[in-house]
Amino acid sequence: MKRISLLAAGLLAAPLAWSAPGIAVYGGGYSWDTEFEGTVASGGEDIDMQDDLGFEEANQQVLYLGVEHAVPLIPNVRVRSLDLSDDASNRLQRTFVFNGQLFVANTKVETDIDLDILDGTLYYTPLDNALKVNLGLTVRKIEGSISLDNLLVSTTKNFDETLPMLHASGRLNLPVPGVYVGGEIDTISYDGNTLRDLTARIGWRSDYLLGVELGYKHMDLELDDVSDLDADLDMGGPYLAASLSF
């Protein structure tokens, strides 16, 4: 939440940089319910997020702020915050172990999950006309926790990981004034850990700073023994965003 507030403050302050020659500031945000699938494990067998714990959807909030400029060799920069949190309740159909605690079949378990993701992206724009192409590097910090609680036992597993990711994005201006289509990928895979973030979008920007964007975002997260946690999570869904460009 603090990260979201800081990015919002930066976006509100963006008009101060608008007057600087050769500098463009952009930002936006959205929130949507995304399908939430996959498994987690800590010291035991895989636990299914839907079948075992009862998750169906999760709410994700995204806010981003970027600066582009005309100075050669110095990359453009974008900061993005993604907050995903949800809770679920389910009666267990089987017994399993999580984080050293035994959860017994036929008991009801309450689960809370919280993922706090902060991205910093440095990128260059080798092509910028009707088709714009960005290439660079994203460093993603993931902090999160999973809590399971029932009448017999309660446990919380925290995890923290920082991953570098390759970044590529593109935008094509369509013949209709202000309308564009685009896509973006941030990805890394090593030592059993995989993170893949895909976005497809269509949007419209007016001559008066404001814009809207309709898209679909999908994120795969695989962690292999990170803070004694294994995870294979799959999140995706459509979104409608508001944007500003200065």
Side-chain angles (χ1 to χ4, degrees):
M1 186 60 68
K2 290 182 179 179
R3 292 172 181 173
I4 291 285
S5 300
L6 288 173
L7 284 175
L11 188 56
L12 292 174
L16 297 177
W18 184 25
S19 59
I23 294 180
V25 180
Y26 64 93
Y30 53 93
S31 175
W32 92 106
D33 287 330
T34 173
E35 290 292 329
F36 194 20
E37 302 175 327
T39 61
V40 294
S42 179
E45 60 187 294
D46 288 345
I47 302 168
D48 192 279
M49 299 297 291
Q50 293 188 337
D51 295 340
D52 292 323
L53 301 181
F55 284 92
E56 295 181 356
E57 296 180 337
N59 181 264
Q60 186 166 344
Q61 297 180 358
V62 180
L63 194 64
Y64 61 91
L65 176 65
V67 178
E68 296 185 345
H69 56 80
V71 181
L73 301 182
I74 298 178
N76 303 307
V77 62
R78 183 191 68 185
V79 179
R80 181 173 60 177
S81 178
L82 303 91
D83 288 330
L84 184 148
S85 61
D86 199 17
D87 58 78
S89 178
N90 198 35
R91 183 167 296 278
L92 298 180
Q93 302 300 308
R94 63 188 181 97
T95 298
F96 59 76
V97 174
F98 182 77
N99 198 27
Q101 300 296 324
L102 183 67
F103 291 85
V104 181
N106 294 318
T107 61
K108 189 174 183 180
V109 63
E110 308 285 341
T111 307
D112 287 293
I113 186 166
D114 186 12
L115 291 178
D116 198 6
I117 300 173
L118 182 63
D119 283 356
T121 301
L122 300 176
Y123 64 93
Y124 293 96
T125 306
L127 185 62
D128 190 4
N129 40 54
L131 174 63
K132 182 177 181 179
V133 175
N134 299 322
L135 300 173
L137 177 70
T138 293
V139 176
R140 171 165 291 187
K141 182 174 177 58
I142 305 173
E143 296 177 299
S145 64
I146 301 177
S147 299
L148 276 67
D149 183 25
N150 68 12
L151 292 176
L152 302 177
V153 293
S154 178
T155 187
T156 297
K157 188 64 184 175
N158 298 304
F159 55 94
D160 189 341
E161 183 76 354
T162 299
L163 299 171
M165 307 169 67
L166 296 177
H167 169 84
S169 63
R171 188 190 71 221
L172 176 64
N173 294 328
L174 299 182
V176 181
V179 178
Y180 63 89
V181 294
E184 179 177 337
I185 179 171
D186 294 280
T187 184
I188 187 69
S189 182
Y190 72 98
D191 293 338
N193 297 302
T194 298
L195 184 55
R196 188 177 299 110
D197 202 335
L198 304 171
T199 304
R201 56 175 70 99
I202 181 170
W204 171 79
R205 288 187 294 186
S206 71
D207 295 330
Y208 304 98
L209 308 180
L210 294 173
V212 294
E213 186 174 278
L214 177 65
Y216 185 92
K217 183 177 179 63
H218 186 92
M219 184 167 66
D220 296 320
L221 174 63
E222 295 182 26
L223 300 178
D224 183 15
D225 197 21
V226 173
S227 302
D228 195 30
L229 176 74
D230 296 324
D232 186 358
L233 300 177
D234 188 5
M235 296 155 278
Y239 69 84
L240 179 63
S243 63
L244 288 172
S245 299
F246 299 94

